[in-house]
Amino acid sequence: MGEIDEGLERSERTKPIPVNLSTRVKFLWAKVAKQDTKALAETAGISVRTAQRWVKALKAGEQPAMTKANERRVEQQVRAKWQPKVKQRVRNAAETNGFMLTLSGTFGFSSAAGSTDDPRPRTITHKMPGGVAQELYAARDAGASQAEQERVLAKGLREHYFKDNGTRAASLDVELNDVAWIDVEGL
């Protein structure tokens, strides 16, 4: 998961996902699988027998024993299923009203002759319109890589921050590289 995905995910939660592995498995067991061992096995991508062992460990107050691959699967499922109504409400608000983007990364520029194209580190805070949110969510839903999501953000920042919605720097092109961190707020 890249910095952009993590920034979007943080904005979509009112509470952080559980840190403890036992709590994550309890969440999947109780809220997602509705205390059905077969449903837990399907959700976590494991055998029914493994799911039974996990439930037995939970009921005994112990942490379920699992491989690192299973731990990652459990974490992915918890992230995907955590606070679905909040996620949808935040997404709808971002796509309708826009969002506040705070980003630290390296920007490359190309423009008229005589300007420099050396990458420059910058921290930018700017209100982005809903169209950029729609493109960003569409890219994320399609399984876009970090680089593809960076291109979407660079395009949005070029038009709405650097070009000031077409009022300056008409020939400017912006490239976003090496996102250090991103924060998405006000959704």
Side-chain angles (χ1 to χ4, degrees), residues 128-144:
M128 302 298 286
V132 175
Q134 290 171 354
E135 286 184 54
L136 195 55
Y137 277 115
R140 187 177 80 166
D141 292 346

Side-chain angles (χ1 to χ4, degrees), residues 71-181:
E71 286 181 22
R72 282 191 298 275
R73 273 191 233 126
V74 166
E75 180 180 0
Q76 288 172 343
Q77 288 301 317
V78 170
R79 283 186 189 282
K81 310 281 193 236
W82 191 252
Q83 296 184 317
K85 291 179 184 177
V86 173
K87 279 184 184 181
Q88 192 58 47
R89 186 174 64 238
V90 167
R91 182 176 180 156
N92 290 342
E95 291 177 342
T96 304
N97 305 323
F99 61 97
M100 185 61 71
L101 174 70
T102 304
L103 168 96
S104 179
T106 304
F107 290 86
F109 304 95
S110 61
S111 187
S115 67
T116 180
D117 61 355
D118 291 337
R120 302 173 192 171
R122 285 190 176 207
T123 300
I124 294 175
T125 300
H126 190 72
K127 174 100 165 87
M128 302 298 286
V132 175
Q134 290 171 354
E135 286 184 54
L136 195 55
Y137 277 115
R140 187 177 80 166
D141 292 346
S145 67
Q146 174 79 9
E148 292 166 333
Q149 292 177 20
E150 286 174 356
R151 282 192 284 283
V152 170
L153 281 178
K155 179 183 162 195
L157 285 167
R158 178 186 67 218
E159 296 304 319
H160 302 286
Y161 179 79
F162 292 105
K163 288 187 172 184
D164 198 16
N165 296 318
T167 61
R168 60 188 173 121
S171 63
L172 180 71
D173 193 22
V174 177
E175 184 178 307
L176 173 61
N177 297 311
D178 302 325
V179 174
W181 54 267

Side-chain angles (χ1 to χ4, degrees), residues 15-67:
K15 295 188 299 188
I17 68 166
V19 176
N20 186 318
L21 182 61
S22 294
T23 310
R24 289 177 179 177
V25 174
K26 283 178 189 175
F27 168 76
L28 291 178
W29 169 247
K31 301 290 184 181
V32 178
K34 308 284 189 219
Q35 297 189 351
D36 179 12
T37 309
K38 186 175 180 182
L40 177 62
E42 289 173 9
T43 300
I46 57 174
S47 70
V48 174
R49 181 63 190 122
T50 301
Q52 291 169 343
R53 283 193 293 270
W54 289 4
V55 170
K56 182 179 178 184
L58 288 177
K59 289 181 179 178
E62 301 168 359
Q63 180 166 312
M66 64 179 73
T67 64

